[in-house]
């Protein structure tokens, strides 16, 4: 059930941020439900860690290689833009 997995992803992000990037990256890349993938990208954007940054870079690379669903394009671009803006 996507709603339960979305709630679990939020819980993991809040309680174990050190483990969240790898978990969220897998969902964003390989998830079957677009809403769940979009949630994972949003949560990755909120992580303030090198692992979160790297996961977003990998998603951007997948996007450039046309390996992500088109529905995720704007989410990845917005997350990358926010990260580069906040790192300045």
């Amino acid at each position: 059930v996507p709603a339960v997995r979305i709630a679990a992803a939020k819980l993991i992000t809040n309680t174990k941020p050190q483990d969240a990037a790898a978990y969220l990256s897998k969902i964003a890349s390989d998830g079957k439900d677009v809403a769940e993938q979009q949630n994972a990208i949003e949560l990755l954007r909120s992580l303030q860690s090198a692992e979160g940054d790297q996961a977003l870079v990998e998603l951007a690379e997948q996007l450039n290689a046309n390996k992500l669903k088109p529905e995720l394009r704007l989410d990845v671009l917005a997350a990358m833009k926010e990260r580069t803006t906040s790192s300045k």
Side-chain angles (χ1 to χ4, degrees), residues 2-15 23 27 39 43:
V4 173
R5 290 191 299 267
I6 288 171
K10 289 178 183 176
L11 182 64
I12 289 169
T13 302
N14 292 331
T15 59
Y23 177 74
I27 292 170
N39 180 68
L43 291 171

Side-chain angles (χ1 to χ4, degrees), residues 1-48:
V1 177
V4 173
R5 290 191 299 267
I6 288 171
K10 289 178 183 176
L11 182 64
I12 289 169
T13 302
N14 292 331
T15 59
K16 294 189 174 199
Q18 68 278 9
D19 299 330
Y23 177 74
L24 295 171
S25 179
K26 178 119 177 87
I27 292 170
S29 295
D30 303 329
K32 303 297 180 218
D33 182 77
V34 171
E36 187 178 2
Q37 288 177 290
Q38 289 171 324
N39 180 68
I41 294 166
E42 179 63 28
L43 291 171
L44 279 170
R45 178 166 60 172
S46 72
L47 283 179
Q48 299 299 314

